[in-house]
Amino acid sequence: MRKRLFAAVLACLLVLSGVAFAGVQDFELVNATGVDIYEVYVSSVKTNSWEEDILGVDVLEDGDSVMINFTGHEGCKWDLMVKDSDGNSLTWENLNLCDISVVTLHWDGSKAWADLE
């Protein structure tokens, strides 16, 4: 009986520890801009500079998505910037990533917007 109880408690702790490591700010970024995205930056609104390019050498092609995961970061308000192959950038500021799980980016050639879920 004790072995079963111990195994059940251990299983619960493992599940809960996995949840604790997931960032509450994690979100899926969907590219519906019509162009490929070559760079993605996400920085806290408290910071005056952009963090490193999340994509690195990868490209987020039009119609694709990527999961952006946070570890050890605090705060809910974040800015997002994306760049195309020519270095043209689009920026969204003050996104509450604690309340958002999907950010779908759009661009019609003159205006950019994001659908937030």
Side-chain angles (χ1 to χ4, degrees), residues 96-115:
N96 186 346
L97 294 182
C98 292
D99 293 337
I100 298 169
S101 59
V102 179
V103 176
T104 303
L105 305 180
H106 302 274
W107 183 57
D108 68 4
S110 62
K111 180 179 87 172
W113 69 96
D115 293 331

Side-chain angles (χ1 to χ4, degrees), residues 62-74:
D62 181 46
D64 286 348
S65 65
V66 64
M67 227 17 231
I68 297 180
N69 299 302
F70 290 75
T71 55
H73 292 284
E74 295 182 16

Side-chain angles (χ1 to χ4, degrees), residues 4 13-14 22 27 30 34 43 47-48 57 68 72 85 89-90 101:
R4 286 186 185 164
L13 288 174
L14 289 173
F27 69 99
V30 180
S43 292
T47 315
N48 291 329
V57 297
I68 297 180
S85 62
S89 65
L90 298 171
S101 59

Side-chain angles (χ1 to χ4, degrees), residues 10-43:
L10 182 60
C12 288
L13 288 174
L14 289 173
V15 168
L16 291 175
S17 68
V19 171
F21 289 127
V24 69
Q25 307 93 339
D26 293 356
F27 69 99
E28 179 181 12
L29 180 64
V30 180
N31 181 6
T33 62
V35 298
D36 295 342
I37 294 174
Y38 282 75
E39 298 175 41
V40 174
Y41 301 91
V42 181
S43 292

